[in-house]
Amino acid sequence: MRRADRPEEPALPDDVEPGDLDPAVRRDLLGLDKGNADIVARHLVMASRLIEDEPEQALEHARAARNRAGRIAVVRETAGVTAYHAGEWAEALSELRAARRMAGGPGLLAVMADCERGLGRPERAIELGRSEEARALTGDEATELRIVVAGARMDLGEYDQAVVSLQTSELDPKATGSTAARLFYAYADALIAAGRKDEAITWFLNSAAADTEGETDAEERVAELSDE
């Protein structure tokens, strides 16, 4: 019988098993009683499966997991990321802050900063980019945050500053992959906003060349700019 104080939960398909969850995440659920841990695990699996194509339904599962296991950092982080994909910026920010308090470390700073942008607070996104935790980031995490901060600068009409904020050693036209493609694309976008069309076309071309997964519309942007 369902506990009276627990909200209605989305149905779990019979073929979704606790063992489908990443083993590292399952270990974080060991402090729960087994029956509850299994249900939480299945909701997390469903959130992961649905997050890209049906983020609102994914969020229902993530909320159900959070209601059952709200003191576990990875559950709160999953709820935050899922809320972010569903466009629920305030909820996402609250959940990610909670996860960071529980687990320590910088957390998902780029996602948190983008939530601030979604809430119409680009200045706070920039503040996160200047934080001590941000300075400790390296690699893809640092690049992701730079992209968000550049977007916040553009929100404020600070186009030249957006360009400068992306001029790092990672801006290497020989690089390939998802992060490089999105970095080059963001840089090209900032260049366009700053009135530097010819340079922007070059970087959209670099983005298209780096985009091995077809994540961006860089080629279409080049065509549009070339026709102007």
Side-chain angles (χ1 to χ4, degrees):
M1 181 176 179
R2 189 184 303 279
R3 285 170 45 183
D5 60 346
R6 179 170 289 147
E8 189 71 24
E9 297 180 353
L12 289 164
D14 292 338
D15 63 344
V16 176
E17 299 289 342
D20 296 335
L21 188 65
D22 182 275
V25 179
R26 285 201 72 193
R27 285 194 291 272
D28 286 342
L29 306 181
L30 290 175
L32 305 173
D33 71 73
K34 186 179 185 308
N36 191 37
D38 285 351
I39 294 174
V40 170
R42 293 172 70 199
H43 279 303
L44 293 177
V45 170
M46 286 302 298
S48 176
R49 288 184 181 180
L50 296 170
I51 192 168
E52 294 295 337
D53 297 327
E54 300 178 76
E56 292 82 7
Q57 291 187 33
L59 182 54
E60 292 182 14
H61 286 283
R63 286 170 174 165
R66 179 201 59 204
N67 291 338
R68 287 176 169 272
R71 295 183 179 180
I72 297 176
V74 69
V75 174
R76 301 298 289 271
E77 182 176 288
T78 299
V81 171
T82 309
Y84 171 76
H85 279 264
E88 298 290 345
W89 315 121
E91 181 177 354
L93 195 55
S94 175
E95 295 297 331
L96 292 172
R97 283 172 174 165
R100 187 164 69 158
R101 286 195 301 271
M102 293 173 181
L108 298 176
L109 277 186
V111 178
M112 294 173 68
D114 211 24
C115 288
E116 295 286 11
R117 288 185 66 203
L119 291 166
R121 302 188 302 225
E123 297 91 345
R124 294 194 185 182
I126 293 169
E127 287 175 12
L128 278 175
R130 292 171 173 163
S131 66
E132 184 177 343
E133 295 98 328
R135 288 192 292 272
L137 295 179
T138 59
D140 288 356
E141 290 182 331
T143 299
E144 294 290 349
L145 183 56
R146 284 194 197 96
I147 292 171
V148 174
V149 169
R153 291 286 188 191
M154 292 176 67
D155 294 341
L156 295 169
E158 299 174 353
Y159 306 125
D160 291 331
Q161 292 95 321
V163 170
V164 171
S165 69
L166 294 170
Q167 291 175 337
T168 67
S169 59
E170 283 75 23
L171 202 65
D172 177 359
K174 297 187 295 295
T176 60
S178 174
T179 301
R182 285 183 289 108
L183 173 61
F184 301 164
Y185 191 100
Y187 188 54
D189 249 351
L191 288 167
I192 283 288
R196 296 160 62 176
K197 176 181 172 181
D198 290 344
E199 292 174 81
I201 290 175
T202 295
W203 282 98
F204 277 128
L205 287 169
N206 290 336
S207 177
D211 190 3
T212 56
E213 300 297 325
E215 293 183 61
T216 73
D217 64 347
E219 291 184 356
E220 289 83 353
R221 294 293 299 275
V222 170
E224 290 170 4
L225 292 169
S226 300
D227 289 340
E228 289 180 359

Tab-separated table of all heavy atoms in Angstrom, residues 84-121:
chain	number	residue	atom	x	y	z
A	84	TYR	N	16.719	20.591	-15.466
A	84	TYR	CA	17.382	21.487	-16.425
A	84	TYR	C	16.961	21.148	-17.850
A	84	TYR	O	16.609	22.033	-18.642
A	84	TYR	CB	18.892	21.351	-16.256
A	84	TYR	CG	19.726	22.049	-17.303
A	84	TYR	CD1	19.886	23.430	-17.284
A	84	TYR	CD2	20.364	21.331	-18.307
A	84	TYR	CE1	20.654	24.067	-18.246
A	84	TYR	CE2	21.134	21.951	-19.266
A	84	TYR	CZ	21.281	23.326	-19.234
A	84	TYR	OH	22.039	23.956	-20.185
A	85	HIS	N	16.963	19.871	-18.194
A	85	HIS	CA	16.563	19.464	-19.536
A	85	HIS	C	15.096	19.773	-19.805
A	85	HIS	O	14.712	20.003	-20.953
A	85	HIS	CB	16.822	17.969	-19.741
A	85	HIS	CG	18.240	17.652	-20.084
A	85	HIS	ND1	18.673	17.482	-21.379
A	85	HIS	CD2	19.341	17.490	-19.305
A	85	HIS	CE1	19.973	17.228	-21.391
A	85	HIS	NE2	20.395	17.226	-20.141
A	86	ALA	N	14.288	19.790	-18.741
A	86	ALA	CA	12.863	20.094	-18.891
A	86	ALA	C	12.587	21.594	-18.857
A	86	ALA	O	11.427	22.010	-18.975
A	86	ALA	CB	12.063	19.390	-17.791
A	87	GLY	N	13.631	22.409	-18.704
A	87	GLY	CA	13.458	23.859	-18.668
A	87	GLY	C	12.934	24.396	-17.362
A	87	GLY	O	12.482	25.549	-17.290
A	88	GLU	N	13.016	23.597	-16.304
A	88	GLU	CA	12.585	24.033	-14.975
A	88	GLU	C	13.809	24.594	-14.241
A	88	GLU	O	14.428	23.940	-13.405
A	88	GLU	CB	11.956	22.866	-14.203
A	88	GLU	CG	10.712	22.300	-14.842
A	88	GLU	CD	9.521	23.259	-14.751
A	88	GLU	OE1	9.581	24.217	-13.952
A	88	GLU	OE2	8.539	23.042	-15.477
A	89	TRP	N	14.180	25.836	-14.592
A	89	TRP	CA	15.458	26.395	-14.156
A	89	TRP	C	15.568	26.519	-12.635
A	89	TRP	O	16.600	26.163	-12.051
A	89	TRP	CB	15.673	27.765	-14.797
A	89	TRP	CG	15.357	27.847	-16.244
A	89	TRP	CD1	14.438	28.664	-16.848
A	89	TRP	CD2	15.943	27.088	-17.313
A	89	TRP	NE1	14.414	28.457	-18.208
A	89	TRP	CE2	15.318	27.507	-18.523
A	89	TRP	CE3	16.926	26.100	-17.364
A	89	TRP	CZ2	15.662	26.969	-19.759
A	89	TRP	CZ3	17.263	25.559	-18.595
A	89	TRP	CH2	16.640	25.990	-19.771
A	90	ALA	N	14.535	27.041	-11.978
A	90	ALA	CA	14.602	27.249	-10.531
A	90	ALA	C	14.719	25.915	-9.793
A	90	ALA	O	15.507	25.779	-8.848
A	90	ALA	CB	13.371	28.019	-10.046
A	91	GLU	N	13.933	24.939	-10.208
A	91	GLU	CA	14.007	23.618	-9.585
A	91	GLU	C	15.372	22.985	-9.813
A	91	GLU	O	15.966	22.406	-8.892
A	91	GLU	CB	12.906	22.711	-10.145
A	91	GLU	CG	12.896	21.312	-9.545
A	91	GLU	CD	11.767	20.457	-10.065
A	91	GLU	OE1	10.905	20.971	-10.821
A	91	GLU	OE2	11.725	19.259	-9.708
A	92	ALA	N	15.880	23.094	-11.035
A	92	ALA	CA	17.193	22.535	-11.348
A	92	ALA	C	18.269	23.148	-10.470
A	92	ALA	O	19.116	22.448	-9.906
A	92	ALA	CB	17.527	22.763	-12.819
A	93	LEU	N	18.245	24.467	-10.333
A	93	LEU	CA	19.257	25.160	-9.533
A	93	LEU	C	19.177	24.735	-8.072
A	93	LEU	O	20.202	24.484	-7.426
A	93	LEU	CB	19.051	26.663	-9.667
A	93	LEU	CG	20.183	27.577	-9.222
A	93	LEU	CD1	21.489	27.239	-9.927
A	93	LEU	CD2	19.796	29.037	-9.484
A	94	SER	N	17.958	24.619	-7.547
A	94	SER	CA	17.788	24.201	-6.159
A	94	SER	C	18.333	22.801	-5.926
A	94	SER	O	19.032	22.540	-4.932
A	94	SER	CB	16.296	24.264	-5.787
A	94	SER	OG	16.074	23.764	-4.482
A	95	GLU	N	18.024	21.886	-6.830
A	95	GLU	CA	18.478	20.504	-6.677
A	95	GLU	C	19.997	20.398	-6.805
A	95	GLU	O	20.656	19.658	-6.055
A	95	GLU	CB	17.804	19.608	-7.714
A	95	GLU	CG	16.304	19.475	-7.544
A	95	GLU	CD	15.909	18.828	-6.229
A	95	GLU	OE1	16.682	18.006	-5.693
A	95	GLU	OE2	14.820	19.152	-5.715
A	96	LEU	N	20.576	21.120	-7.759
A	96	LEU	CA	22.028	21.046	-7.951
A	96	LEU	C	22.773	21.690	-6.780
A	96	LEU	O	23.846	21.217	-6.392
A	96	LEU	CB	22.412	21.715	-9.271
A	96	LEU	CG	21.941	20.970	-10.522
A	96	LEU	CD1	22.201	21.795	-11.769
A	96	LEU	CD2	22.606	19.601	-10.638
A	97	ARG	N	22.223	22.735	-6.209
A	97	ARG	CA	22.828	23.322	-5.010
A	97	ARG	C	22.798	22.336	-3.858
A	97	ARG	O	23.767	22.196	-3.107
A	97	ARG	CB	22.091	24.603	-4.623
A	97	ARG	CG	22.432	25.808	-5.492
A	97	ARG	CD	21.530	26.966	-5.160
A	97	ARG	NE	21.896	28.188	-5.868
A	97	ARG	CZ	21.105	29.253	-5.977
A	97	ARG	NH1	19.888	29.236	-5.430
A	97	ARG	NH2	21.528	30.316	-6.635
A	98	ALA	N	21.661	21.642	-3.711
A	98	ALA	CA	21.550	20.648	-2.645
A	98	ALA	C	22.562	19.531	-2.843
A	98	ALA	O	23.228	19.096	-1.889
A	98	ALA	CB	20.126	20.078	-2.610
A	99	ALA	N	22.704	19.055	-4.085
A	99	ALA	CA	23.660	17.985	-4.366
A	99	ALA	C	25.077	18.438	-4.052
A	99	ALA	O	25.885	17.673	-3.510
A	99	ALA	CB	23.554	17.560	-5.827
A	100	ARG	N	25.393	19.688	-4.369
A	100	ARG	CA	26.748	20.187	-4.113
A	100	ARG	C	27.015	20.286	-2.617
A	100	ARG	O	28.117	19.991	-2.151
A	100	ARG	CB	26.943	21.543	-4.795
A	100	ARG	CG	28.378	22.031	-4.721
A	100	ARG	CD	28.670	23.142	-5.695
A	100	ARG	NE	27.996	24.376	-5.370
A	100	ARG	CZ	28.399	25.570	-5.794
A	100	ARG	NH1	29.463	25.660	-6.585
A	100	ARG	NH2	27.756	26.653	-5.481
A	101	ARG	N	26.008	20.706	-1.854
A	101	ARG	CA	26.180	20.767	-0.386
A	101	ARG	C	26.439	19.382	0.187
A	101	ARG	O	27.238	19.213	1.102
A	101	ARG	CB	24.935	21.374	0.271
A	101	ARG	CG	24.796	22.870	0.093
A	101	ARG	CD	23.768	23.433	1.048
A	101	ARG	NE	22.449	22.841	0.874
A	101	ARG	CZ	21.519	23.308	0.046
A	101	ARG	NH1	21.780	24.378	-0.708
A	101	ARG	NH2	20.341	22.724	-0.056
A	102	MET	N	25.763	18.386	-0.340
A	102	MET	CA	25.893	17.024	0.182
A	102	MET	C	27.218	16.380	-0.214
A	102	MET	O	27.858	15.707	0.598
A	102	MET	CB	24.738	16.153	-0.349
A	102	MET	CG	23.378	16.538	0.156
A	102	MET	SD	22.089	15.576	-0.689
A	102	MET	CE	20.618	16.259	0.073
A	103	ALA	N	27.608	16.563	-1.467
A	103	ALA	CA	28.765	15.834	-1.992
A	103	ALA	C	30.054	16.621	-1.939
A	103	ALA	O	31.141	16.053	-2.047
A	103	ALA	CB	28.484	15.402	-3.435
A	104	GLY	N	29.968	17.950	-1.783
A	104	GLY	CA	31.167	18.770	-1.844
A	104	GLY	C	31.628	18.932	-3.277
A	104	GLY	O	31.028	18.405	-4.211
A	105	GLY	N	32.710	19.652	-3.472
A	105	GLY	CA	33.236	19.860	-4.815
A	105	GLY	C	32.460	20.919	-5.559
A	105	GLY	O	31.499	21.504	-5.042
A	106	PRO	N	32.856	21.186	-6.804
A	106	PRO	CA	32.246	22.272	-7.562
A	106	PRO	C	30.849	21.980	-8.068
A	106	PRO	O	30.100	22.892	-8.407
A	106	PRO	CB	33.208	22.461	-8.738
A	106	PRO	CG	33.830	21.118	-8.928
A	106	PRO	CD	33.962	20.537	-7.547
A	107	GLY	N	30.472	20.698	-8.138
A	107	GLY	CA	29.184	20.382	-8.716
A	107	GLY	C	29.157	20.689	-10.201
A	107	GLY	O	30.188	20.878	-10.832
A	108	LEU	N	27.972	20.771	-10.771
A	108	LEU	CA	27.825	21.034	-12.201
A	108	LEU	C	27.695	22.542	-12.406
A	108	LEU	O	26.614	23.071	-12.676
A	108	LEU	CB	26.607	20.291	-12.741
A	108	LEU	CG	26.685	18.760	-12.620
A	108	LEU	CD1	25.382	18.126	-13.098
A	108	LEU	CD2	27.855	18.215	-13.421
A	109	LEU	N	28.812	23.244	-12.299
A	109	LEU	CA	28.791	24.700	-12.331
A	109	LEU	C	28.240	25.243	-13.641
A	109	LEU	O	27.507	26.233	-13.650
A	109	LEU	CB	30.194	25.262	-12.099
A	109	LEU	CG	30.678	25.397	-10.656
A	109	LEU	CD1	32.023	26.102	-10.637
A	109	LEU	CD2	29.685	26.164	-9.799
A	110	ALA	N	28.603	24.629	-14.765
A	110	ALA	CA	28.119	25.134	-16.047
A	110	ALA	C	26.598	25.031	-16.137
A	110	ALA	O	25.932	25.956	-16.629
A	110	ALA	CB	28.779	24.369	-17.194
A	111	VAL	N	26.041	23.936	-15.665
A	111	VAL	CA	24.588	23.771	-15.684
A	111	VAL	C	23.941	24.787	-14.751
A	111	VAL	O	22.930	25.420	-15.088
A	111	VAL	CB	24.193	22.335	-15.296
A	111	VAL	CG1	22.673	22.186	-15.270
A	111	VAL	CG2	24.798	21.335	-16.272
A	112	MET	N	24.534	24.973	-13.563
A	112	MET	CA	23.992	25.944	-12.628
A	112	MET	C	24.032	27.357	-13.218
A	112	MET	O	23.077	28.132	-13.089
A	112	MET	CB	24.765	25.878	-11.314
A	112	MET	CG	24.582	24.575	-10.569
A	112	MET	SD	25.664	24.422	-9.121
A	112	MET	CE	24.975	25.689	-8.053
A	113	ALA	N	25.136	27.692	-13.863
A	113	ALA	CA	25.256	29.013	-14.477
A	113	ALA	C	24.220	29.191	-15.585
A	113	ALA	O	23.627	30.274	-15.731
A	113	ALA	CB	26.663	29.214	-15.018
A	114	ASP	N	23.985	28.141	-16.363
A	114	ASP	CA	23.001	28.239	-17.438
A	114	ASP	C	21.594	28.377	-16.865
A	114	ASP	O	20.736	29.035	-17.475
A	114	ASP	CB	23.103	27.028	-18.359
A	114	ASP	CG	22.728	27.356	-19.797
A	114	ASP	OD1	22.825	28.544	-20.181
A	114	ASP	OD2	22.358	26.434	-20.543
A	115	CYS	N	21.338	27.775	-15.721
A	115	CYS	CA	20.050	27.966	-15.046
A	115	CYS	C	19.867	29.427	-14.660
A	115	CYS	O	18.761	29.984	-14.784
A	115	CYS	CB	19.959	27.084	-13.800
A	115	CYS	SG	19.769	25.332	-14.132
A	116	GLU	N	20.923	30.055	-14.172
A	116	GLU	CA	20.849	31.480	-13.835
A	116	GLU	C	20.496	32.291	-15.074
A	116	GLU	O	19.687	33.230	-15.012
A	116	GLU	CB	22.173	31.969	-13.242
A	116	GLU	CG	22.555	31.344	-11.904
A	116	GLU	CD	21.724	31.861	-10.737
A	116	GLU	OE1	20.699	32.558	-10.963
A	116	GLU	OE2	22.093	31.575	-9.586
A	117	ARG	N	21.080	31.948	-16.206
A	117	ARG	CA	20.709	32.620	-17.461
A	117	ARG	C	19.231	32.389	-17.767
A	117	ARG	O	18.516	33.310	-18.162
A	117	ARG	CB	21.542	32.097	-18.618
A	117	ARG	CG	22.992	32.534	-18.635
A	117	ARG	CD	23.662	32.046	-19.912
A	117	ARG	NE	23.107	32.700	-21.089
A	117	ARG	CZ	23.155	32.204	-22.320
A	117	ARG	NH1	23.713	31.016	-22.549
A	117	ARG	NH2	22.636	32.864	-23.334
A	118	GLY	N	18.782	31.152	-17.612
A	118	GLY	CA	17.389	30.848	-17.892
A	118	GLY	C	16.427	31.626	-17.010
A	118	GLY	O	15.304	31.935	-17.424
A	119	LEU	N	16.875	31.962	-15.810
A	119	LEU	CA	16.065	32.735	-14.872
A	119	LEU	C	16.220	34.240	-15.088
A	119	LEU	O	15.702	35.028	-14.305
A	119	LEU	CB	16.451	32.372	-13.432
A	119	LEU	CG	16.051	30.967	-12.993
A	119	LEU	CD1	16.759	30.590	-11.697
A	119	LEU	CD2	14.533	30.872	-12.812
A	120	GLY	N	16.942	34.621	-16.155
A	120	GLY	CA	17.117	36.034	-16.448
A	120	GLY	C	18.118	36.726	-15.553
A	120	GLY	O	18.035	37.941	-15.340
A	121	ARG	N	19.099	35.949	-15.051
A	121	ARG	CA	20.101	36.517	-14.147
A	121	ARG	C	21.509	36.261	-14.683
A	121	ARG	O	22.294	35.538	-14.069
A	121	ARG	CB	19.941	35.911	-12.748
A	121	ARG	CG	18.559	36.130	-12.161
A	121	ARG	CD	18.413	35.721	-10.721
A	121	ARG	NE	18.720	34.351	-10.447
A	121	ARG	CZ	17.977	33.542	-9.673
A	121	ARG	NH1	16.838	33.997	-9.164
A	121	ARG	NH2	18.343	32.309	-9.426
